[in-house]
Amino acid sequence: MVHQIRLGGKARPFFGRSLAGLLLIFGGASARSEPVFAPAGENPFSALFGEWTLKDDKFQYVGDGRTIETQIIPNHHTECARVNTDRSILCVVKAGALNGHTLWTYDASKQQVHWLSHFGTERTGFGAGTFDKASNLTFKVSFTDEPEGSYRKYRYEWVSPDEYTLKSTQYDGHGRATGNWYGGTFVRLPASALAVAVPTSPPATGMAYSVEDDTQKVKAILKKIDADITDTSIYSEDVVHMAQGSRAITSKAELQKVLAAEVSHGRSNMTHEIVTLHSYSDMVLTRGRVKGTWHPANGGSPIPFETNNIITFRRTADGSLKVWHVIFNRVELERNQP
């Protein structure tokens, strides 16, 4: 197979076998968010689920240690999905005659990501990597069709929830950079935009916690909500807030606007109660209820209310909790009157 590389209007051949590993598309996580931890059971690779392609069909590489060249690869397509566990991801790549797949799995005990890939007929890759505190990913990977003892370092960084960059740098058997590298920018195909959480940090492991301590932390957060619903310091940046009859709010900035609008119409005197609480190394899950009275700003009669809720709290790097997911419905009190 021959790929066409277009440079200054000229096309010259580049044999596909040595490009067999160029088209892996994976990501770490958004460097914009503060480090927080993925909840128990959530796939740490979930932000990659969906379909991806090369931005502007362009891929760059250096194959002689000096010259940067640009390859045009039209119709590149990768689909990434969960397999049958919640700590793995399989990405299937289609790029003309250059096809392959990569499996990543997360080892929570070592906070390490394992890599196994196969492209073409001979290129098998194996290695391991880690999330950094901003949840970008760095790997060290060896390939069967490259010189014995050599390896590559891969770096994946997010530009936005729908775009990230990849760079792979080659090292020889003595650990010296050869000067060869390849990389590109990948974008999500619009039709595959999924309602998945943007990764913000590697999953937490080994952090000390207890139900008793978490109960006190959650109570303190709920008291802040009761005192001032506009205090958004308690929320994670990627909070998801789903009220009965309303569309989902999917960011802290958006929630701030909604809460500010709400208090302009009146105020609530309310009390949050915990019904059940479950603690995990990286999250806390609660079921609760709220009872209170709404006081309209126009001086109308106070309106009693009651709600039920499910709230998840993310455990952050310093062990504190942030409200992450909120789902609640309203109890229609008038139907419960005798």
Side-chain angles (χ1 to χ4, degrees):
M1 171 188 174
V2 175
H3 292 285
Q4 294 298 313
I5 302 173
R6 302 174 189 172
L7 299 170
K10 294 180 63 178
R12 46 188 288 254
F14 188 85
F15 292 98
R17 190 179 74 85
S18 60
L19 279 181
L22 299 191
L23 304 177
L24 306 175
I25 70 157
F26 307 98
S30 175
R32 301 169 301 159
S33 303
E34 64 180 20
V36 292
F37 299 109
E42 181 178 335
N43 194 308
F45 311 114
S46 61
L48 286 167
F49 295 161
E51 299 174 71
W52 301 81
T53 192
L54 272 171
K55 186 175 184 178
D56 300 324
D57 298 332
K58 293 181 179 179
F59 206 88
Q60 289 189 312
Y61 71 96
V62 173
D64 61 2
R66 298 181 303 276
T67 309
I68 299 177
E69 303 193 71
T70 299
Q71 184 182 17
I72 301 301
I73 307 176
N75 303 317
H76 171 268
H77 179 268
T78 294
E79 184 170 2
C80 296
R82 59 171 48 87
V83 193
N84 61 353
T85 68
D86 58 18
R87 294 297 193 193
S88 62
I89 185 172
L90 177 66
C91 292
V92 178
V93 178
K94 297 179 181 178
L98 180 59
N99 296 326
H101 59 268
T102 300
L103 175 69
W104 281 1
T105 61
Y106 182 73
D107 180 348
S109 64
K110 296 181 179 179
Q111 294 185 298
Q112 191 174 58
V113 179
H114 295 280
W115 167 315
L116 179 63
S117 62
H118 188 261
F119 281 77
T121 58
E122 300 179 19
R123 189 173 177 84
T124 295
F126 52 93
T130 58
F131 291 97
D132 64 17
K133 289 185 178 180
S135 291
N136 298 306
L137 277 163
T138 301
F139 282 96
K140 180 179 179 180
V141 184
S142 298
F143 292 96
T144 54
D145 62 345
E146 294 197 358
E148 182 72 25
S150 69
Y151 60 90
R152 287 182 173 272
K153 287 186 178 180
Y154 282 76
R155 177 69 175 175
Y156 303 90
E157 295 189 39
W158 286 83
V159 177
S160 76
D162 298 316
E163 182 176 339
Y164 68 88
T165 61
L166 156 67
K167 186 173 182 180
S168 171
T169 304
Q170 186 183 50
Y171 292 80
D172 64 20
H174 300 286
R176 298 172 300 202
T178 65
N180 294 342
W181 59 265
Y182 51 72
T185 300
F186 297 88
V187 292
R188 188 189 300 276
L189 291 173
S192 75
L194 302 178
V196 296
V198 178
T200 50
S201 79
T205 59
M207 183 174 290
Y209 67 95
S210 71
V211 172
E212 292 77 13
D213 287 344
D214 286 341
T215 298
Q216 295 307 310
K217 290 176 182 178
V218 169
K219 284 183 176 180
I221 291 173
L222 298 180
K223 283 184 178 180
K224 286 188 175 183
I225 298 175
D226 292 341
D228 180 7
I229 65 170
T230 64
D231 181 0
T232 55
S233 65
I234 62 171
Y235 295 98
S236 66
E237 293 296 330
D238 58 343
V239 61
V240 177
H241 189 280
M242 294 184 286
Q244 179 172 294
S246 300
R247 63 179 178 80
I249 297 168
T250 58
S251 72
K252 183 174 177 177
E254 186 180 10
L255 181 60
Q256 286 176 323
K257 295 179 182 178
V258 172
L259 295 178
E262 181 177 332
V263 297
S264 70
H265 297 293
R267 62 182 177 83
S268 294
N269 290 333
M270 59 185 176
T271 302
H272 281 73
E273 301 175 9
I274 300 171
V275 177
T276 63
L277 183 147
H278 301 277
S279 291
Y280 304 93
S281 63
D282 43 16
M283 67 158 304
V284 174
L285 170 65
T286 67
R287 178 171 73 88
R289 59 174 170 259
V290 181
K291 295 181 180 180
T293 305
W294 168 255
H295 299 267
N298 61 10
S301 299
I303 303 170
F305 66 87
E306 183 177 336
T307 61
N308 298 311
N309 60 63
I310 297 291
I311 304 176
T312 64
F313 300 80
R314 265 181 161 161
R315 200 180 302 281
T316 66
D318 63 4
S320 62
L321 300 177
K322 293 285 187 180
V323 177
W324 185 39
H325 286 160
V326 179
I327 305 172
F328 72 86
N329 64 3
R330 184 181 66 256
V331 176
E332 297 190 20
L333 297 177
E334 62 278 9
R335 293 187 179 182
N336 299 326
Q337 300 301 320

